[in-house]
Amino acid sequence: MKYVNFEEQILPTQHDFFMREALKEAHLAFEADEIPIGAIIVTNGRIIGRGHNLTQRLNDVTAHAEMQAFTAATNYLGAKYLLDCSLYVTLEPCIMCAGAAFWTQISQIVFGAYDPQRGFKRLQSSVLHPKTTLIGGVLQNECSELIKSFFQKKRKS
C-alpha cells in the first residue's frame, strides 16, 4: 500500500522505510570490504537490532547480517524469541539464517533481492516457522545493485 500526502506526492511505505535502514547496514559492510548485506529487526515500529555482514572481519562464516541482528534484538529484549518482530534484510536469507529465524519464531521476514543460488527457498521453502510471513522484492533493485557493484569492484582488484 502506498500513502499519499495532500500534495499528491507518493510517500514511502513502511517496508521501504525499514529496508532503507537495512541498506544503511549493507553500506557499512560494503565500506568494510564485506559482502554488502544488512539487516534490522523491528517491533512496534522501532528498530531493536541491527547487523551487517562481518564474516571477513570476524573470520567467522556464521557472522551473517541476520545473525548479528538476531543477537542484538534478543539482547535488547532479554529473550530468545522474536515474537511480534520483523526482520528486514537486503538479500533473501540463506538456509542457515532461515533456520535461525525459525528458532527465533520471528513473525515476519521482509527481504530485498532474491538469491537464486544460495537463498533458502532454493533448498527448502518450508524451513521457516509456520507462523512467519515472508515478503520478498522490497527495494529489490537497490539491494541487488549494491551487491553487484561490490563484486564488480572485487573483479577489478
Side-chain angles (χ1 to χ4, degrees), residues 3-154:
Y3 298 96
V4 179
N5 67 12
F6 295 111
E7 288 88 35
E8 298 298 321
Q9 180 183 7
I10 296 175
L11 298 175
T13 66
Q14 177 180 329
H15 292 316
D16 289 354
F17 175 82
F18 287 122
M19 189 59 71
R20 289 195 194 292
E21 290 297 312
L23 274 163
K24 289 178 186 177
E25 290 295 319
H27 281 282
L28 292 174
F30 186 94
E31 292 167 11
D33 205 31
E34 295 273 0
I35 296 174
I37 300 168
I40 64 165
I41 308 283
V42 176
T43 189
N44 297 320
R46 184 176 184 179
I47 298 171
I48 61 168
R50 293 179 172 272
H52 57 272
N53 234 11
L54 291 172
T55 58
Q56 298 297 320
R57 180 174 168 210
L58 298 179
N59 198 28
D60 179 356
V61 297
T62 68
H64 289 195
E66 299 95 322
M67 303 300 259
Q68 304 304 313
F70 290 150
T71 300
T74 55
N75 286 338
Y76 177 86
L77 294 173
K80 65 181 178 179
Y81 296 118
L82 297 174
L83 306 171
D84 300 320
C85 294
S86 296
L87 166 68
Y88 288 82
V89 61
T90 57
L91 185 66
E92 176 185 348
C94 70
I95 193 76
M96 174 186 70
C97 293
F102 176 93
W103 292 110
T104 68
Q105 297 182 22
I106 198 154
S107 298
Q108 182 179 58
I109 297 175
V110 181
F111 67 87
Y114 289 85
D115 188 352
Q117 292 181 322
R118 292 181 186 85
F120 78 94
K121 290 191 311 181
R122 178 179 176 265
L123 299 170
Q124 177 60 278
S125 61
S126 63
V127 72
L128 297 178
H129 194 276
K131 294 180 182 176
T132 301
T133 60
L134 183 67
I135 299 171
V138 175
L139 300 182
Q140 181 176 351
N141 291 339
E142 292 176 53
C143 293
S144 63
E145 284 303 315
L146 183 60
I147 294 169
K148 286 177 189 174
S149 65
F150 174 80
F151 285 110
Q152 287 171 349
K153 180 180 126 184
K154 284 293 195 188

